[in-house]
Amino acid sequence: MPDIRAELRDAQGRIVYSWTITPQKRTLTPGAAIDFNSAKLDVPSNSKRLELSFAGEDAS
């Protein structure tokens, strides 16, 4: 299980804030799931959208 990349984007789609979420487990059995939780304070007020992806993935 790779790290999760969280990106906040403005109305034009530009990244205004980002951070990495590290999962509690790195290995899952087939069909398994894990929860994750992350909170950030004082994020930019122009944030309009949250995008999540696996770290190392190309977002295009």
Side-chain angles (χ1 to χ4, degrees), residues 2-3 5 9 13 16 19 21 23-25 29-30 32 36-37 40-43 46-47 50 54 57:
D3 287 342
R5 182 176 53 230
R9 295 181 178 262
V16 295
W19 70 99
I21 304 164
Q24 294 179 0
K25 287 184 171 183
T29 58
F36 67 91
N37 187 2
K40 294 293 177 180
L41 301 175
D42 299 323
V43 298
N46 62 335
S47 303
L50 169 66
F54 291 119
E57 275 191 351

Side-chain angles (χ1 to χ4, degrees), residues 20-60:
T20 301
I21 304 164
T22 301
Q24 294 179 0
K25 287 184 171 183
R26 291 291 184 179
T27 304
L28 298 176
T29 58
I34 61 170
D35 292 328
F36 67 91
N37 187 2
S38 181
K40 294 293 177 180
L41 301 175
D42 299 323
V43 298
S45 61
N46 62 335
S47 303
K48 301 296 180 193
R49 186 173 75 229
L50 169 66
E51 291 188 4
L52 299 172
S53 62
F54 291 119
E57 275 191 351
D58 183 1
S60 58

